[in-house]
Amino acid sequence: MGQDILSVIEPWDGNGVITRLDPLTGTWIFIALHDSTLGTPTGGTRIKVYPELSAALIDATRLAEGMTYKWAGLGMDYGGGKAVLALPEQPLDDNARQGLLKRYGAFIESLSGAFKTGADLGASADDMATIASRCQHVLGVDYDTMDSTDPGPFTAHGVEVGLRAALAQVFGSDSPADRTILVQGLGGVGAPLARSLAADGARLILNDLDAHRAETLAEELSCQTAASDSLYSTPCDVYAPCAIGATVNAQTIPQLACRIVAGSANNQLLEAEDAERLHQRGVLYVPDYIINSGGAMAISLQHTGLTERDELMRRVAGIRPAITEILQEAAASNTSPVVAARHRVDRILAQRRETI
Ligand code: NAD
């Protein structure tokens, strides 16, 4: 186990990982600080049971790196960071969870502003309010009312505008009407995305691990569902992964029967080579950390005092021109949009480093 941890840290190019065990619950806390060129490392808190500790550390370090690129892509003054609370296998009762979150909040406060956080997978609005009760560094919580903002609808809006940019690139029209779109994962992002695409006339195919959730939404939107075992070979124009990471990999890419992959999940590609595999198959991939940045953008703007929902949605729609530029640059140089997106954020980070 010790060696596993070291082998995760060794090749990682981030600033460092703050590690702490919460002895009362047996929860390991990893706060990965990847890069502070643009500002304070900032990213969500993921709360999850992991099969092993090294998987939690891998999640924290990869997601923190993604946050560096996400903030740079947005041109916002935050650095890349992410926290993972690796829960013990035995479920925590409400009291134990509350205690853990309060101690975690106090721990963040003790870092004197070195890390700011928000919600991520497994962290509810109530959880974020509990963490915020012990520290001043939670984005997405209104410190006057302690109300918490759900980033999901903002992220969904960003995915929709990014998906439209990809449709325009591939089909010459950005309209989802009569396009077949497979949405995998119908939670905080996937459900509002599906509703919005349905309203725009898309032919939807829905999938969720929770079959009841998929069937209920399919009934509401009068569309089909797809079984998980044949999901990746389902013919469609767009595959929108909005559930878990690493669904696009050497096994699934040959099965894909879509022209575009555009969704909210973080770390959609299992490994770097998958970008080229998609490119070789003629599948346009919209890089995850750009297309799923709407929620991060909205809650960080809220933190600066911009609270009007329509204006936040309008600002989130501003992701689209950046995505269009990335897709066009990739097409012009016959490379994957992953390469073009990375060039873009590396340019932004290099420019800032020159001024430091
Ligand atoms: P969520 O937990 O609200 O919903 C996830 C949904 O996916 C659930 O309905 C769950 O049942 C389903 N699911 C889980 N595993 C699945 C599988 N193997 N196959 C099919 N369905 C499965 O999460 P969310 O907030 O909607 O986020 C979805 C994804 O988008 C996550 O990867 C998250 O990291 C990423 N993301 C979310 C936001 C946000 O604002 N919420 C922002 C950026 C990225």
Side-chain angles (χ1 to χ4, degrees):
M1 182 79 77
Q3 186 53 45
D4 278 349
I5 296 289
L6 291 182
S7 66
V8 176
I9 295 288
E10 199 183 0
W12 192 56
D13 69 347
N15 288 348
V17 182
I18 302 170
T19 305
R20 182 187 172 97
L21 172 67
D22 180 62
L24 292 179
T25 61
T27 300
W28 278 94
I29 299 171
F30 293 121
I31 300 180
L33 308 174
H34 181 254
D35 189 284
S36 54
T37 304
L38 298 180
T40 303
T42 302
T45 293
R46 179 164 288 199
I47 305 176
K48 197 177 146 173
V49 177
Y50 287 87
E52 53 197 34
L53 210 49
S54 56
L57 185 59
I58 290 169
D59 232 9
T61 49
R62 280 193 77 186
L63 290 163
E65 185 174 350
M67 287 309 299
T68 298
Y69 306 142
K70 185 175 295 191
W71 293 123
L74 287 170
M76 299 188 90
D77 289 339
Y78 291 103
K82 200 85 180 186
V84 162
L85 270 54
L87 298 173
E89 270 176 48
Q90 288 299 323
L92 299 181
D93 65 30
D94 278 356
N95 267 347
R97 189 178 172 100
Q98 288 276 318
L100 166 68
L101 296 174
K102 286 178 185 166
R103 289 187 293 279
Y104 170 59
F107 182 45
I108 293 178
E109 190 62 28
S110 76
L111 302 177
S112 307
F115 173 66
K116 292 181 195 296
T117 194
D120 192 64
L121 218 69
S124 67
D126 285 349
D127 291 342
M128 296 321 293
T130 305
I131 296 166
S133 71
R134 293 292 190 274
C135 73
Q136 292 298 313
H137 306 289
V138 178
L139 273 60
V141 169
D142 179 330
Y143 274 90
D144 292 330
T145 61
M146 291 313 263
D147 286 339
S148 197
T149 301
D150 174 8
F154 297 104
T155 303
H157 190 49
V159 172
E160 188 180 356
V161 299
L163 195 153
R164 280 176 171 272
L167 287 173
Q169 178 87 5
V170 171
F171 297 108
S173 160
D174 76 346
S175 173
D178 295 325
R179 292 282 163 217
T180 303
I181 301 178
L182 168 63
V183 184
Q184 178 191 34
L186 305 166
V189 180
L193 174 68
R195 288 195 177 94
S196 180
L197 290 169
D200 289 338
R203 272 194 304 265
L204 292 180
I205 304 174
L206 305 181
N207 169 269
D208 197 288
L209 205 55
D210 178 344
H212 178 67
R213 183 174 282 193
E215 279 151 22
T216 307
L217 191 61
E219 201 173 309
E220 177 193 323
L221 303 178
S222 305
C223 64
Q224 302 174 39
T225 58
S228 294
D229 52 6
S230 57
L231 192 73
Y232 302 106
S233 56
T234 305
C236 57
D237 295 309
V238 183
Y239 162 46
C242 299
I244 51 167
T247 62
V248 182
N249 54 54
Q251 276 70 47
T252 58
I253 291 170
Q255 299 173 42
L256 291 177
C258 62
R259 297 290 306 281
I260 294 168
V261 174
S264 73
N266 281 310
N267 298 333
Q268 290 168 34
L269 309 183
L270 176 64
E271 53 187 354
E273 292 75 13
D274 295 322
E276 186 55 26
R277 291 187 181 114
L278 283 171
H279 182 59
Q280 291 301 329
R281 279 222 56 207
V283 177
L284 186 68
Y285 170 64
V286 185
D288 47 10
Y289 60 82
I290 303 279
I291 195 170
N292 72 13
S293 60
M297 178 193 255
I299 63 165
S300 56
L301 287 171
Q302 263 186 343
H303 205 60
T304 66
L306 183 68
T307 55
E308 218 267 303
R309 189 180 170 87
D310 287 350
E311 178 57 17
L312 287 170
M313 283 292 189
R314 201 187 64 74
R315 296 284 283 270
V316 167
I319 294 170
R320 178 170 170 167
I323 290 177
T324 299
E325 275 176 34
I326 288 165
L327 299 183
Q328 288 177 348
E329 185 183 321
S333 53
N334 192 24
T335 54
S336 162
V338 169
V339 176
R342 187 60 193 266
H343 281 162
R344 182 185 176 90
V345 298
D346 282 347
R347 275 196 303 271
I348 291 167
L349 289 165
Q351 275 164 9
R352 184 65 70 87
R353 285 189 185 114
E354 274 172 19
T355 65
I356 293 174

